Amino acid sequence: MSEESAAAKEPTKREEEPPTKKVKSGTMEQAPAGEWPEAWVMPEGECEDQKALNKQDPNVPVTVEELKDIGICYWKLDAAAYEYPKISVPWDPKDAVDPKLSKLRDDRGYSYADIITVHPDTLPEYDAKVKAFFEEHIHDAEEIRYILGGSGFFDVRNKEDRWVRVHIKSGDLMTLPEGIYHRFTVDEADRIHAMRLFIGQPVWTPFNRPCEEHESRKKYVEEFLEEKKTEG
């Protein structure tokens, strides 16, 4: 995604919120199953309207365990309790005042961040960009998105190579593993405010399918798709 830079306003805790207790040491556990976003298997065939829900009739829900099984990680944060700029490219993750976000940053080594708003008023060539985001692709690094406002969809391929649609909303922090086939779109509200995090120097290069010979795809297949051999 290509966006304009803007002066970063340091996020501040909203005045009406009480002080947040210090996060205990140790790796922060993922959200309990009841807090994960809704996910479902999409209908087969071409997706005629990428912004629609695209559920089957009857709906085919996808469980949290199924999402974890293909490498998805998820944490629930209170995005509404803090203020962030609409656009800041880059944004220093050391400026985080949310203790949960700071904890995840330190646990997982996130050293770069930027903040974007995907909306017709803030993203030049909006329609073309949203269409491009929806091309099926992989990355050669983990993809991390923290949704600060608005909503949208991440579509990921399951073990049967079917599309699973995950409806992401404010407060959702989700990671996609390196090498997973996926795509992204806003929903019918046409607005999503998101933070992108990265370990080290950011590289946003997409590799469009097919890319079975790409080292990142091979790594993903070996870790998540191949049947593990059991010793007798």
Side-chain angles (χ1 to χ4, degrees), residues 12-24:
T12 56
K13 192 75 170 65
R14 297 194 193 278
E15 291 182 359
E16 65 272 15
E17 291 290 327
T20 307
K21 293 181 179 178
K22 202 171 184 180
V23 179
K24 295 180 180 179

Side-chain angles (χ1 to χ4, degrees), residues 18-224:
T20 307
K21 293 181 179 178
K22 202 171 184 180
V23 179
K24 295 180 180 179
S25 60
T27 304
M28 197 164 85
E29 292 185 1
Q30 293 187 54
E35 293 183 359
W36 280 58
E38 183 185 8
W40 57 89
V41 180
M42 297 177 70
E44 293 192 75
E46 290 296 318
C47 182
E48 295 183 2
D49 182 358
Q50 69 187 63
K51 299 178 184 178
L53 289 174
N54 288 290
K55 291 185 177 183
Q56 299 184 66
D57 186 14
N59 183 40
V60 181
V62 174
T63 67
V64 169
E65 287 307 314
E66 288 174 299
L67 292 176
K68 287 182 176 181
D69 205 32
I70 55 173
I72 307 299
C73 296
Y74 175 82
W75 294 265
K76 186 68 175 179
L77 279 65
D78 188 1
Y82 301 86
E83 294 181 358
Y84 296 90
K86 286 185 178 180
I87 301 173
S88 181
V89 183
W91 182 78
D92 191 343
K94 292 179 182 177
D95 290 339
V97 294
D98 177 351
K100 282 191 172 182
L101 180 58
S102 298
K103 179 65 177 163
L104 277 171
R105 174 202 65 203
D106 295 342
D107 282 352
R108 299 177 71 83
Y110 300 146
S111 55
Y112 173 93
D114 59 30
I115 296 174
I116 61 173
T117 299
V118 180
H119 183 272
D121 293 341
T122 56
L123 182 62
E125 302 178 353
Y126 175 79
D127 290 332
K129 294 284 180 58
V130 169
K131 184 177 180 181
F133 298 159
F134 203 58
E135 291 289 332
E136 183 174 4
H137 62 279
I138 67 169
H139 294 293
D140 58 3
E142 178 186 55
E143 181 162 343
I144 308 105
R145 295 293 181 271
Y146 176 28
I147 310 307
L148 305 173
S151 51
F153 301 114
F154 265 113
D155 298 341
V156 293
R157 290 286 189 181
N158 67 9
K159 292 192 173 185
E160 289 72 45
D161 208 32
R162 293 285 303 275
W163 279 121
V164 168
R165 172 151 283 194
V166 184
H167 200 181
I168 48 173
K169 301 177 183 180
S170 179
D172 294 341
L173 194 155
M174 191 169 75
T175 70
L176 308 182
E178 173 186 346
I180 190 173
Y181 282 127
H182 66 283
R183 60 192 183 188
F184 165 79
T185 183
V186 292
D187 58 21
E188 292 173 332
D190 275 311
R191 178 184 174 274
I192 193 163
H193 183 204
M195 180 184 295
R196 308 186 297 183
L197 295 134
F198 205 85
I199 300 171
Q201 196 65 24
V203 180
W204 308 119
T205 307
F207 301 94
N208 290 348
R209 190 171 187 174
C211 44
E212 298 304 316
E213 296 306 312
H214 192 287
E215 288 304 314
S216 292
R217 181 60 186 173
K218 289 180 179 179
K219 176 182 175 182
Y220 178 80
V221 169
E222 181 179 0
E223 185 171 355
F224 294 102

